[in-house]
Amino acid sequence: MPSSPVPYLLLPLLLALGACAVGPDYQAPQPKTPADWRAAHAGEAALLPAGQGGQAIPAQWWTQFADPALDYLQRRATAASPDLRSAALRFAQARMQRQMVAAQRGANVDGKADVQRQRQSERGASARMISSLAPGNSDELVKTLAEPFTLYEAGFDASWEIDFWGRVRRSIEAADARVEQQRALLEQARLVVASEVARGYFELRRVQQQIAVTREDLRATEESLALVQARADGGLVDDFDLVRQRSQLEELRSRLPQLQAAEGQAINQLGVLVGAQPGELQAQLKAPPARPAALPDLSPGLPSEVVRRRPDIRAAEAQLHAATANIGVAVAELYPSIRLGASFGYSSFESGDVSDWGSRQWAVGPSLSVPIFDNGRRRSQVTLRKLEQQEAAVNYQQTVLKAWQEVDDALSGYGAERQRNAQLQARLGSAGQAYDMARARYAGGLTDFLVELDAQRNYLQARRDLVDSDGQLRLDLVALYKALGGGAPLGDGGSDNEPLPPGQQ
């Protein structure tokens, strides 16, 4: 008799169902990005850089400063940072979780083998059946069947869930999104650590420059005091000029202890960031470089590039992707599930016959599970996943808006400091000329000492302000690198085979 064509007619339908996936398909958000930073600027346009293009920011953006000491600290921080290690471990966990979810696509095969000593009840269901079928000798049969015996079994079970509704595929999609989220958070941790190290380093160098300038000012003031002392000894000036110069000298001396304390605190702060013991970095950081770190030319690029570069934006988008896929997982739970199962093995009460072909037993066939009533649990799960997706969408929008604010603030701060620095350089030149002229006029007896003293104070303050501005320029540039996303990739964010930090391999 020919077999029924119905199963073959159903095969295309089953394949079509197996190719679908319930729930919404993820659509990448398209945030509104301005054409350039001037269109998204909240302050004076003169504070923004003129260029918008330029070379891409390198992954190790701190190397743009061309400072070997800073490079050394960054390498140590990468290897020692607990925050970076924790982020790397979360990334590794997400990758392992993805492998676990993806394993649901295949069949599950379990082997089994057991040996059991058994005894049937003389008053059980089997005894009732024997009594009904053979009432004449039921007692003998029941006693025989109730005798203890050993049962030997060996075989395997296999099962495979047909992913009709895409539950497994949506679960893998959500797991992939979580991997991308943790990869972006790992890059965010690297950016934060690198920024903190750079900030601490340039803060230290600013303090050290202030110490160097203060010591130079002390030497110059001591020379001026010696000159006034000589003029006072010769009767050319009274002691009032001498007292005022001594007061200026003591004021400069009082600055030095605070600056030295700030230097030690800055070195210790860097030690915490790179995992060094107190005093361990003294040899590398105590002596400042011969010249300050260079200021690299930085172009912020286009706003659309920042959306792809900033790790926090990419993490928020991945979170939205995972939340969208989880809706499909919850929706698939509303539909029936079909599993294909099979088992094969051997069973015998004689140990020598357990592997005989006659001892074989097998079963094969599908199983259907239909959700009928769960008091609304599954539908509540779908609603919950939709609410989580809406929350993720709001978080993504907020993250993008925060990014625009941070970049605009960083651009304004850096632009304003550059203008201030240029003005301070001009001020220092004028103050130096005025001080030289005042010293010459005082030495020639054309003015009193108060004119020279005021000129000296203006000159010393101009030097301190310029040193402070030089350091602030580098701090503002670090903040700008961080706001722009550092050197995070503009592509897909890297590879799943990305190495972990030292100590986590």
Side-chain angles (χ1 to χ4, degrees), residues 121-134 138 142:
S121 172
E122 296 181 13
R123 298 292 184 267
S126 59
R128 183 178 182 277
M129 182 179 297
I130 292 173
S131 179
S132 300
L133 295 176
S138 60
V142 168

Side-chain angles (χ1 to χ4, degrees), residues 116-274:
Q116 294 182 355
R117 186 69 175 170
Q118 298 183 4
R119 182 187 186 280
Q120 302 291 339
S121 172
E122 296 181 13
R123 298 292 184 267
S126 59
R128 183 178 182 277
M129 182 179 297
I130 292 173
S131 179
S132 300
L133 295 176
N137 58 350
S138 60
D139 291 341
E140 294 296 329
L141 291 174
V142 168
K143 289 182 179 179
T144 301
L145 292 177
E147 292 179 359
F149 67 96
T150 302
L151 183 65
Y152 302 89
E153 291 185 321
F156 68 89
D157 294 325
S159 64
W160 174 56
E161 180 181 357
I162 303 176
D163 195 23
F164 276 157
W165 318 111
R167 182 188 67 83
V168 176
R169 274 165 289 164
R170 292 300 192 193
S171 298
I172 295 175
E173 181 183 353
D176 286 335
R178 285 190 288 270
V179 170
E180 293 302 318
Q181 180 186 16
Q182 292 302 324
R183 177 187 289 113
L185 292 177
L186 174 57
E187 293 175 3
Q188 177 71 11
R190 287 172 175 164
L191 177 60
V192 170
V193 169
S195 300
E196 289 300 314
V197 171
R199 283 185 56 85
Y201 177 76
F202 288 127
E203 184 63 40
L204 169 65
R205 293 312 190 199
R206 178 166 66 172
V207 172
Q208 289 177 335
Q209 286 296 112
Q210 291 282 14
I211 292 175
V213 168
T214 301
R215 285 173 173 165
E216 292 177 5
D217 293 343
L218 280 172
R219 287 192 293 269
T221 306
E222 288 171 352
E223 293 176 359
S224 297
L225 178 60
L227 176 61
V228 175
Q229 181 69 56
R231 293 175 63 87
D233 293 342
L236 300 178
V237 296
D238 54 21
D239 291 340
F240 185 58
D241 291 347
L242 190 61
V243 171
R244 283 186 295 186
Q245 185 65 5
R246 286 176 178 169
S247 176
Q248 174 73 3
L249 180 61
E250 295 304 325
E251 193 272 335
L252 287 174
R253 286 174 176 170
S254 68
R255 293 175 178 269
L256 199 55
Q258 291 183 334
L259 292 173
Q260 291 171 334
E263 179 188 25
Q265 294 168 0
I267 293 177
N268 286 335
Q269 181 63 33
L270 283 172
V272 172
L273 293 174
V274 303

Side-chain angles (χ1 to χ4, degrees), residues 241-426:
D241 291 347
L242 190 61
V243 171
R244 283 186 295 186
Q245 185 65 5
R246 286 176 178 169
S247 176
Q248 174 73 3
L249 180 61
E250 295 304 325
E251 193 272 335
L252 287 174
R253 286 174 176 170
S254 68
R255 293 175 178 269
L256 199 55
Q258 291 183 334
L259 292 173
Q260 291 171 334
E263 179 188 25
Q265 294 168 0
I267 293 177
N268 286 335
Q269 181 63 33
L270 283 172
V272 172
L273 293 174
V274 303
Q277 295 293 330
E280 184 179 344
L281 300 177
Q282 195 78 358
Q284 291 89 351
L285 300 178
K286 184 63 177 178
R291 60 180 61 184
L295 278 176
D297 293 330
L298 173 65
S299 180
L302 299 175
S304 58
E305 295 178 352
V306 174
V307 173
R308 292 180 293 157
R309 182 189 296 126
R310 278 187 59 128
D312 57 343
I313 295 180
R314 300 203 329 270
E317 182 180 353
Q319 182 184 17
L320 176 59
H321 191 171
T324 304
N326 282 332
I327 296 177
V329 176
V331 172
E333 297 288 346
L334 301 175
Y335 294 89
S337 62
I338 299 178
R339 300 186 70 89
L340 299 179
S343 65
F344 180 85
Y346 296 89
S347 179
S348 174
F349 63 90
E350 296 288 348
S351 60
D353 298 335
V354 70
S355 60
D356 289 349
W357 186 243
S359 300
R360 72 188 185 280
Q361 61 181 9
W362 56 267
V364 61
S367 64
L368 175 66
S369 175
V370 181
I372 296 177
F373 179 75
D374 61 0
N375 207 25
R377 181 186 64 82
R378 289 181 176 88
R379 293 196 176 277
S380 298
Q381 186 82 350
V382 174
T383 303
L384 175 62
R385 296 295 176 252
K386 290 180 178 179
L387 292 174
E388 291 174 348
Q389 184 207 34
Q390 295 173 16
E391 181 185 7
V394 172
N395 178 65
Y396 175 81
Q397 296 172 357
Q398 186 67 18
T399 303
V400 173
L401 290 176
K402 181 181 177 182
W404 297 151
Q405 174 194 347
E406 290 181 354
V407 174
D408 190 44
D409 290 348
L411 286 171
S412 297
Y414 182 61
E417 193 59 42
R418 291 192 69 168
Q419 294 184 14
R420 176 173 176 264
N421 189 267
Q423 295 167 357
L424 288 176
Q425 291 181 17

Side-chain angles (χ1 to χ4, degrees), residues 37-86:
W37 293 112
R38 295 182 181 276
H41 184 49
E44 291 292 333
L47 299 180
L48 294 179
Q52 297 293 334
Q55 297 180 349
I57 300 176
Q60 297 181 341
W61 49 267
W62 56 88
T63 59
Q64 299 288 93
F65 293 98
D67 193 319
L70 177 59
D71 297 342
Y72 166 78
L73 292 174
Q74 294 287 3
R75 288 193 300 270
R76 287 201 56 169
T78 300
S81 171
D83 293 337
L84 194 52
R85 290 185 178 182
S86 297

